[in-house]
Amino acid sequence: MKKLLIALAALTFAGSAYAQDTSFASADLDQSGDLTFSEVIAVLPNVTEEAFAAADADGNGVLSEAEYTVLLESSGG
């Protein structure tokens, strides 16, 4: 019984860590049509402020869907 509970716990935690939706729509928590740094790191925690700024082609402090796509592709996500 103990082994079964351990196996179930492992599957539960592995499943939640395995698949995370990194789509623009999922990242845009406030549905504003652009992404802040906070929204980006919620789905891509390894993105640095420097990488975010580099992806922000127009320098407006947020990422459009096109800018996010470039960041996503460059980060391997």
Side-chain angles (χ1 to χ4, degrees):
M1 180 66 147
K2 198 181 266 187
K3 289 182 183 180
L4 177 61
L5 291 175
I6 292 170
L8 287 173
L11 286 173
T12 300
F13 290 116
S16 63
Y18 179 73
Q20 181 176 2
D21 187 359
T22 58
S23 69
F24 184 86
S26 291
D28 189 12
L29 297 175
D30 63 3
Q31 299 178 343
S32 63
D34 50 38
L35 301 178
T36 64
F37 180 67
S38 297
E39 288 174 318
V40 170
I41 62 170
V43 295
L44 299 173
N46 294 328
V47 170
T48 63
E49 289 185 48
E50 292 79 16
F52 180 90
D56 183 14
D58 60 8
N60 67 349
V62 294
L63 299 185
S64 66
E65 188 166 1
E67 291 168 332
Y68 177 71
T69 299
V70 170
L71 176 66
L72 190 60
E73 290 171 354
S74 71
S75 68

